[in-house]
Amino acid sequence: MKTIKHITILFLLLATSIASAQVKFEAKVSKSELGVNERLRIDFEMNQDGDNFNPPSFQDFTVVAGPNQSVSHSWINGKKSFNKTYSYFLAPKNQGKFTINQATIEIDGEVYKTTPITVNITSAVDKPKDPNDPDVIIADNIHLVAEVSKTNPYINEAITVVYKLYVAPNTGVSNWRETSSPSYNDFWSQNIDTKGLKVLNGKYKGEDYRYVVLRKTVLYPQKTGKLEIEPLSLDITVDVPTNRRNIFGERLMTQAHKTITAGSRQIHVKALPEKNKPANFTGAVGDFDFRVTSSKTELNATESLSATVEVSGNGNLKLFELPNLNVPSSLEVYEPENKDNVRTTGSGMQGKRSQSYTIVPQFKGKYPLPSISFSYFDLKTESYKTLTSDEIVIDVLQGPTNVASNENGAISPNKQTVIANNDQFAFIKTKPNLVSAKKSNFFKTTGFWTALLAPLLAIPLAIVFRNKRDERLADVTGNRIRKADRLAKKYLSEAKRALGQKEAFYVALEKALHNYLKAKLQIETSDFTKEKITETLLERQVEDHTVTEFISILKNCELARYTPITQVEMQQDYDKASKTISEIDKQIR
């Protein structure tokens, strides 16, 4: 019997401890720092109903309103939940750090106490804030921040800009849209795909917040000095609490709209040191490997081999030129084929770039491919490094002997040059242009009657022409489209004439692409964004590949302002533009 009694008492004590462990009674303030002329809201929340609630003395504050009591009941997955809140609005009496002492309440015979809270009261702010004002709630609880990985990089050093939206736990954002996208003048930029918005927990100015990463962008500064990153602005829809409550005592919410901005950021870009800069340095910044390889070292004459110059690693891979391969004049070499395998991550560009030269020897012998050097600026040691390739010897085993040249490739003295003379032959004329000696009269000839009747026949043609001209002049939209089409053709021809002149070529090419779009899609110049162009072309049933090619040409035009471009790359961009315009004409609906 004693054993049963002891078990019963133990069970009751255990049940009481479990019940008491589930009780929550805590104090929350609207902010931990405020001006002396602002108002502070403090909530005392409990998850079980209690009696004999005793608030703290609030000796350093004046109670403006309260206590306001609210009670809510809810059922979630068959489980009942309860919440009861006592709210006070307080006005600080003086500046300084003050502690709000414990509040107490009695729940099921047990007395529970809140944790003391310290609040910092600063000097008066310009405009006292009403804690129930939606604008004040949004300003205090929602923040758009641009986090920059480094504010004083070297030129061509990668930095990352991460845009985060911080939201306090007591409010929420139901919708948002960009009103102003940041522009990166004097930077090479690449957006990083965030693959959906994921809500994370973090801290903002020491307080708990939820946040989402809206955008990640990698930047490579192309200019030294102080550069500015323009801000990202959002129009957000926010759920904010009101003073009204429903029949269950729950605070009703309302939606408010506000535009917030991340603010502009200043970047101070340092120049690369001039001391110990190699003569062959072309702007590579990062950590790289360099090598030169050959597909063959032994072959016969007229066979081909491939020699590859390759740079790999981390850094501004797309923003410098690869060193050229030195090939003896007695070997036939073709224009190199460029191949890029570069991806951009949050830390910058990674991968490799290469140039492959096709070489065809014509004569028997041994031909050395001299070593070449590649220099870059190492960010870890903040110094220049030079990498040198090994010499490669090409052994041509079979083929004719090159008797017309010596070892240096010069013409042998026993060979004479044949000089052509254009006066050696006089050709026979096949068109003597003879004139008849007999003259004919013009009167009553076919030409006479044609000249007589032509004005009469021209009258109805002139009437038809005038009507067509009036219709054409009345077609304002058509005239604008035809004008833009003529301009596109004009600028394409100007771009072709400017091949070899980088800036003039890409300015003319970009104008041609823009005027073509105005002709085909009737888009005004102010609407020219890559997103707008992509959306409009896809709506007109242009294939994804063609749209991607068109956007890549526009990006090349922008990139060409800051990077060295070769004659071959300009010709490739011109051919690609002509081909893409032709494809759009075939596909557009």
mmCIF file with all atom_site columns, all heavy atoms in Angstrom, residues 543-558:
data_model
loop_
_atom_site.group_PDB
_atom_site.id
_atom_site.type_symbol
_atom_site.label_atom_id
_atom_site.label_alt_id
_atom_site.label_comp_id
_atom_site.label_asym_id
_atom_site.label_entity_id
_atom_site.label_seq_id
_atom_site.pdbx_PDB_ins_code
_atom_site.Cartn_x
_atom_site.Cartn_y
_atom_site.Cartn_z
_atom_site.occupancy
_atom_site.B_iso_or_equiv
_atom_site.pdbx_formal_charge
_atom_site.auth_seq_id
_atom_site.auth_comp_id
_atom_site.auth_asym_id
_atom_site.auth_atom_id
_atom_site.pdbx_PDB_model_num
ATOM 1   N N   . GLU A 1 543 ? 13.218 31.881 -80.875 1.00 0.00 ? 543 GLU A N   1
ATOM 2   C CA  . GLU A 1 543 ? 13.790 30.764 -80.129 1.00 0.00 ? 543 GLU A CA  1
ATOM 3   C C   . GLU A 1 543 ? 14.735 31.245 -79.043 1.00 0.00 ? 543 GLU A C   1
ATOM 4   O O   . GLU A 1 543 ? 15.378 32.289 -79.175 1.00 0.00 ? 543 GLU A O   1
ATOM 5   C CB  . GLU A 1 543 ? 14.535 29.837 -81.089 1.00 0.00 ? 543 GLU A CB  1
ATOM 6   C CG  . GLU A 1 543 ? 13.621 29.163 -82.112 1.00 0.00 ? 543 GLU A CG  1
ATOM 7   C CD  . GLU A 1 543 ? 14.400 28.270 -83.065 1.00 0.00 ? 543 GLU A CD  1
ATOM 8   O OE1 . GLU A 1 543 ? 15.642 28.206 -82.918 1.00 0.00 ? 543 GLU A OE1 1
ATOM 9   O OE2 . GLU A 1 543 ? 13.778 27.654 -83.946 1.00 0.00 ? 543 GLU A OE2 1
ATOM 10  N N   . ASP A 1 544 ? 14.823 30.436 -77.955 1.00 0.00 ? 544 ASP A N   1
ATOM 11  C CA  . ASP A 1 544 ? 15.662 30.796 -76.801 1.00 0.00 ? 544 ASP A CA  1
ATOM 12  C C   . ASP A 1 544 ? 17.115 31.000 -77.209 1.00 0.00 ? 544 ASP A C   1
ATOM 13  O O   . ASP A 1 544 ? 17.783 31.935 -76.747 1.00 0.00 ? 544 ASP A O   1
ATOM 14  C CB  . ASP A 1 544 ? 15.582 29.703 -75.728 1.00 0.00 ? 544 ASP A CB  1
ATOM 15  C CG  . ASP A 1 544 ? 14.222 29.667 -75.056 1.00 0.00 ? 544 ASP A CG  1
ATOM 16  O OD1 . ASP A 1 544 ? 13.446 30.623 -75.248 1.00 0.00 ? 544 ASP A OD1 1
ATOM 17  O OD2 . ASP A 1 544 ? 13.944 28.690 -74.359 1.00 0.00 ? 544 ASP A OD2 1
ATOM 18  N N   . HIS A 1 545 ? 17.627 30.095 -78.075 1.00 0.00 ? 545 HIS A N   1
ATOM 19  C CA  . HIS A 1 545 ? 19.033 30.197 -78.477 1.00 0.00 ? 545 HIS A CA  1
ATOM 20  C C   . HIS A 1 545 ? 19.299 31.510 -79.202 1.00 0.00 ? 545 HIS A C   1
ATOM 21  O O   . HIS A 1 545 ? 20.320 32.169 -78.968 1.00 0.00 ? 545 HIS A O   1
ATOM 22  C CB  . HIS A 1 545 ? 19.385 28.995 -79.372 1.00 0.00 ? 545 HIS A CB  1
ATOM 23  C CG  . HIS A 1 545 ? 20.748 29.101 -79.980 1.00 0.00 ? 545 HIS A CG  1
ATOM 24  N ND1 . HIS A 1 545 ? 21.901 28.914 -79.236 1.00 0.00 ? 545 HIS A ND1 1
ATOM 25  C CD2 . HIS A 1 545 ? 21.157 29.400 -81.255 1.00 0.00 ? 545 HIS A CD2 1
ATOM 26  C CE1 . HIS A 1 545 ? 22.952 29.081 -80.034 1.00 0.00 ? 545 HIS A CE1 1
ATOM 27  N NE2 . HIS A 1 545 ? 22.528 29.368 -81.245 1.00 0.00 ? 545 HIS A NE2 1
ATOM 28  N N   . THR A 1 546 ? 18.386 31.908 -80.083 1.00 0.00 ? 546 THR A N   1
ATOM 29  C CA  . THR A 1 546 ? 18.565 33.160 -80.832 1.00 0.00 ? 546 THR A CA  1
ATOM 30  C C   . THR A 1 546 ? 18.524 34.356 -79.904 1.00 0.00 ? 546 THR A C   1
ATOM 31  O O   . THR A 1 546 ? 19.325 35.295 -80.028 1.00 0.00 ? 546 THR A O   1
ATOM 32  C CB  . THR A 1 546 ? 17.463 33.280 -81.901 1.00 0.00 ? 546 THR A CB  1
ATOM 33  O OG1 . THR A 1 546 ? 17.476 32.103 -82.724 1.00 0.00 ? 546 THR A OG1 1
ATOM 34  C CG2 . THR A 1 546 ? 17.711 34.494 -82.784 1.00 0.00 ? 546 THR A CG2 1
ATOM 35  N N   . VAL A 1 547 ? 17.602 34.343 -78.919 1.00 0.00 ? 547 VAL A N   1
ATOM 36  C CA  . VAL A 1 547 ? 17.523 35.450 -77.956 1.00 0.00 ? 547 VAL A CA  1
ATOM 37  C C   . VAL A 1 547 ? 18.810 35.525 -77.145 1.00 0.00 ? 547 VAL A C   1
ATOM 38  O O   . VAL A 1 547 ? 19.357 36.609 -76.903 1.00 0.00 ? 547 VAL A O   1
ATOM 39  C CB  . VAL A 1 547 ? 16.307 35.265 -77.031 1.00 0.00 ? 547 VAL A CB  1
ATOM 40  C CG1 . VAL A 1 547 ? 16.284 36.343 -75.954 1.00 0.00 ? 547 VAL A CG1 1
ATOM 41  C CG2 . VAL A 1 547 ? 15.011 35.308 -77.837 1.00 0.00 ? 547 VAL A CG2 1
ATOM 42  N N   . THR A 1 548 ? 19.328 34.376 -76.710 1.00 0.00 ? 548 THR A N   1
ATOM 43  C CA  . THR A 1 548 ? 20.570 34.353 -75.927 1.00 0.00 ? 548 THR A CA  1
ATOM 44  C C   . THR A 1 548 ? 21.729 34.915 -76.736 1.00 0.00 ? 548 THR A C   1
ATOM 45  O O   . THR A 1 548 ? 22.558 35.679 -76.224 1.00 0.00 ? 548 THR A O   1
ATOM 46  C CB  . THR A 1 548 ? 20.881 32.912 -75.491 1.00 0.00 ? 548 THR A CB  1
ATOM 47  O OG1 . THR A 1 548 ? 19.771 32.398 -74.747 1.00 0.00 ? 548 THR A OG1 1
ATOM 48  C CG2 . THR A 1 548 ? 22.132 32.873 -74.636 1.00 0.00 ? 548 THR A CG2 1
ATOM 49  N N   . GLU A 1 549 ? 21.798 34.567 -78.038 1.00 0.00 ? 549 GLU A N   1
ATOM 50  C CA  . GLU A 1 549 ? 22.853 35.089 -78.901 1.00 0.00 ? 549 GLU A CA  1
ATOM 51  C C   . GLU A 1 549 ? 22.764 36.606 -79.016 1.00 0.00 ? 549 GLU A C   1
ATOM 52  O O   . GLU A 1 549 ? 23.772 37.314 -78.955 1.00 0.00 ? 549 GLU A O   1
ATOM 53  C CB  . GLU A 1 549 ? 22.754 34.444 -80.294 1.00 0.00 ? 549 GLU A CB  1
ATOM 54  C CG  . GLU A 1 549 ? 23.195 32.982 -80.355 1.00 0.00 ? 549 GLU A CG  1
ATOM 55  C CD  . GLU A 1 549 ? 24.690 32.828 -80.170 1.00 0.00 ? 549 GLU A CD  1
ATOM 56  O OE1 . GLU A 1 549 ? 25.434 33.687 -80.686 1.00 0.00 ? 549 GLU A OE1 1
ATOM 57  O OE2 . GLU A 1 549 ? 25.110 31.891 -79.493 1.00 0.00 ? 549 GLU A OE2 1
ATOM 58  N N   . PHE A 1 550 ? 21.535 37.122 -79.170 1.00 0.00 ? 550 PHE A N   1
ATOM 59  C CA  . PHE A 1 550 ? 21.347 38.570 -79.309 1.00 0.00 ? 550 PHE A CA  1
ATOM 60  C C   . PHE A 1 550 ? 21.788 39.294 -78.046 1.00 0.00 ? 550 PHE A C   1
ATOM 61  O O   . PHE A 1 550 ? 22.491 40.304 -78.099 1.00 0.00 ? 550 PHE A O   1
ATOM 62  C CB  . PHE A 1 550 ? 19.872 38.866 -79.616 1.00 0.00 ? 550 PHE A CB  1
ATOM 63  C CG  . PHE A 1 550 ? 19.618 40.279 -80.065 1.00 0.00 ? 550 PHE A CG  1
ATOM 64  C CD1 . PHE A 1 550 ? 19.684 40.628 -81.390 1.00 0.00 ? 550 PHE A CD1 1
ATOM 65  C CD2 . PHE A 1 550 ? 19.345 41.273 -79.139 1.00 0.00 ? 550 PHE A CD2 1
ATOM 66  C CE1 . PHE A 1 550 ? 19.466 41.933 -81.798 1.00 0.00 ? 550 PHE A CE1 1
ATOM 67  C CE2 . PHE A 1 550 ? 19.123 42.588 -79.534 1.00 0.00 ? 550 PHE A CE2 1
ATOM 68  C CZ  . PHE A 1 550 ? 19.183 42.905 -80.876 1.00 0.00 ? 550 PHE A CZ  1
ATOM 69  N N   . ILE A 1 551 ? 21.399 38.773 -76.866 1.00 0.00 ? 551 ILE A N   1
ATOM 70  C CA  . ILE A 1 551 ? 21.777 39.408 -75.596 1.00 0.00 ? 551 ILE A CA  1
ATOM 71  C C   . ILE A 1 551 ? 23.286 39.341 -75.410 1.00 0.00 ? 551 ILE A C   1
ATOM 72  O O   . ILE A 1 551 ? 23.907 40.281 -74.897 1.00 0.00 ? 551 ILE A O   1
ATOM 73  C CB  . ILE A 1 551 ? 21.043 38.734 -74.422 1.00 0.00 ? 551 ILE A CB  1
ATOM 74  C CG1 . ILE A 1 551 ? 19.505 38.937 -74.567 1.00 0.00 ? 551 ILE A CG1 1
ATOM 75  C CG2 . ILE A 1 551 ? 21.504 39.312 -73.091 1.00 0.00 ? 551 ILE A CG2 1
ATOM 76  C CD1 . ILE A 1 551 ? 19.061 40.373 -74.587 1.00 0.00 ? 551 ILE A CD1 1
ATOM 77  N N   . SER A 1 552 ? 23.911 38.229 -75.816 1.00 0.00 ? 552 SER A N   1
ATOM 78  C CA  . SER A 1 552 ? 25.364 38.102 -75.658 1.00 0.00 ? 552 SER A CA  1
ATOM 79  C C   . SER A 1 552 ? 26.099 39.138 -76.502 1.00 0.00 ? 552 SER A C   1
ATOM 80  O O   . SER A 1 552 ? 27.149 39.639 -76.094 1.00 0.00 ? 552 SER A O   1
ATOM 81  C CB  . SER A 1 552 ? 25.806 36.694 -76.044 1.00 0.00 ? 552 SER A CB  1
ATOM 82  O OG  . SER A 1 552 ? 25.675 36.475 -77.431 1.00 0.00 ? 552 SER A OG  1
ATOM 83  N N   . ILE A 1 553 ? 25.548 39.486 -77.693 1.00 0.00 ? 553 ILE A N   1
ATOM 84  C CA  . ILE A 1 553 ? 26.184 40.520 -78.524 1.00 0.00 ? 553 ILE A CA  1
ATOM 85  C C   . ILE A 1 553 ? 26.115 41.864 -77.814 1.00 0.00 ? 553 ILE A C   1
ATOM 86  O O   . ILE A 1 553 ? 27.083 42.630 -77.784 1.00 0.00 ? 553 ILE A O   1
ATOM 87  C CB  . ILE A 1 553 ? 25.500 40.591 -79.909 1.00 0.00 ? 553 ILE A CB  1
ATOM 88  C CG1 . ILE A 1 553 ? 25.639 39.240 -80.643 1.00 0.00 ? 553 ILE A CG1 1
ATOM 89  C CG2 . ILE A 1 553 ? 26.136 41.680 -80.758 1.00 0.00 ? 553 ILE A CG2 1
ATOM 90  C CD1 . ILE A 1 553 ? 24.810 39.146 -81.900 1.00 0.00 ? 553 ILE A CD1 1
ATOM 91  N N   . LEU A 1 554 ? 24.953 42.189 -77.216 1.00 0.00 ? 554 LEU A N   1
ATOM 92  C CA  . LEU A 1 554 ? 24.832 43.440 -76.468 1.00 0.00 ? 554 LEU A CA  1
ATOM 93  C C   . LEU A 1 554 ? 25.830 43.481 -75.315 1.00 0.00 ? 554 LEU A C   1
ATOM 94  O O   . LEU A 1 554 ? 26.445 44.514 -75.037 1.00 0.00 ? 554 LEU A O   1
ATOM 95  C CB  . LEU A 1 554 ? 23.400 43.600 -75.941 1.00 0.00 ? 554 LEU A CB  1
ATOM 96  C CG  . LEU A 1 554 ? 22.318 43.900 -76.983 1.00 0.00 ? 554 LEU A CG  1
ATOM 97  C CD1 . LEU A 1 554 ? 20.951 43.954 -76.322 1.00 0.00 ? 554 LEU A CD1 1
ATOM 98  C CD2 . LEU A 1 554 ? 22.602 45.219 -77.696 1.00 0.00 ? 554 LEU A CD2 1
ATOM 99  N N   . LYS A 1 555 ? 25.997 42.348 -74.609 1.00 0.00 ? 555 LYS A N   1
ATOM 100 C CA  . LYS A 1 555 ? 26.958 42.304 -73.504 1.00 0.00 ? 555 LYS A CA  1
ATOM 101 C C   . LYS A 1 555 ? 28.381 42.493 -74.020 1.00 0.00 ? 555 LYS A C   1
ATOM 102 O O   . LYS A 1 555 ? 29.201 43.138 -73.362 1.00 0.00 ? 555 LYS A O   1
ATOM 103 C CB  . LYS A 1 555 ? 26.832 40.981 -72.749 1.00 0.00 ? 555 LYS A CB  1
ATOM 104 C CG  . LYS A 1 555 ? 25.536 40.853 -71.950 1.00 0.00 ? 555 LYS A CG  1
ATOM 105 C CD  . LYS A 1 555 ? 25.496 39.526 -71.193 1.00 0.00 ? 555 LYS A CD  1
ATOM 106 C CE  . LYS A 1 555 ? 24.221 39.410 -70.356 1.00 0.00 ? 555 LYS A CE  1
ATOM 107 N NZ  . LYS A 1 555 ? 24.137 38.113 -69.642 1.00 0.00 ? 555 LYS A NZ  1
ATOM 108 N N   . ASN A 1 556 ? 28.685 41.907 -75.178 1.00 0.00 ? 556 ASN A N   1
ATOM 109 C CA  . ASN A 1 556 ? 30.021 42.084 -75.753 1.00 0.00 ? 556 ASN A CA  1
ATOM 110 C C   . ASN A 1 556 ? 30.287 43.546 -76.056 1.00 0.00 ? 556 ASN A C   1
ATOM 111 O O   . ASN A 1 556 ? 31.404 44.031 -75.885 1.00 0.00 ? 556 ASN A O   1
ATOM 112 C CB  . ASN A 1 556 ? 30.169 41.238 -77.020 1.00 0.00 ? 556 ASN A CB  1
ATOM 113 C CG  . ASN A 1 556 ? 30.303 39.757 -76.702 1.00 0.00 ? 556 ASN A CG  1
ATOM 114 O OD1 . ASN A 1 556 ? 30.453 39.382 -75.547 1.00 0.00 ? 556 ASN A OD1 1
ATOM 115 N ND2 . ASN A 1 556 ? 30.231 38.916 -77.705 1.00 0.00 ? 556 ASN A ND2 1
ATOM 116 N N   . CYS A 1 557 ? 29.252 44.273 -76.528 1.00 0.00 ? 557 CYS A N   1
ATOM 117 C CA  . CYS A 1 557 ? 29.414 45.700 -76.816 1.00 0.00 ? 557 CYS A CA  1
ATOM 118 C C   . CYS A 1 557 ? 29.750 46.469 -75.540 1.00 0.00 ? 557 CYS A C   1
ATOM 119 O O   . CYS A 1 557 ? 30.550 47.412 -75.563 1.00 0.00 ? 557 CYS A O   1
ATOM 120 C CB  . CYS A 1 557 ? 28.140 46.258 -77.462 1.00 0.00 ? 557 CYS A CB  1
ATOM 121 S SG  . CYS A 1 557 ? 27.812 45.619 -79.129 1.00 0.00 ? 557 CYS A SG  1
ATOM 122 N N   . GLU A 1 558 ? 29.118 46.084 -74.413 1.00 0.00 ? 558 GLU A N   1
ATOM 123 C CA  . GLU A 1 558 ? 29.405 46.756 -73.144 1.00 0.00 ? 558 GLU A CA  1
ATOM 124 C C   . GLU A 1 558 ? 30.798 46.360 -72.640 1.00 0.00 ? 558 GLU A C   1
ATOM 125 O O   . GLU A 1 558 ? 31.556 47.201 -72.164 1.00 0.00 ? 558 GLU A O   1
ATOM 126 C CB  . GLU A 1 558 ? 28.350 46.372 -72.115 1.00 0.00 ? 558 GLU A CB  1
ATOM 127 C CG  . GLU A 1 558 ? 26.944 46.841 -72.492 1.00 0.00 ? 558 GLU A CG  1
ATOM 128 C CD  . GLU A 1 558 ? 25.890 46.309 -71.529 1.00 0.00 ? 558 GLU A CD  1
ATOM 129 O OE1 . GLU A 1 558 ? 26.269 45.559 -70.594 1.00 0.00 ? 558 GLU A OE1 1
ATOM 130 O OE2 . GLU A 1 558 ? 24.706 46.626 -71.706 1.00 0.00 ? 558 GLU A OE2 1
#
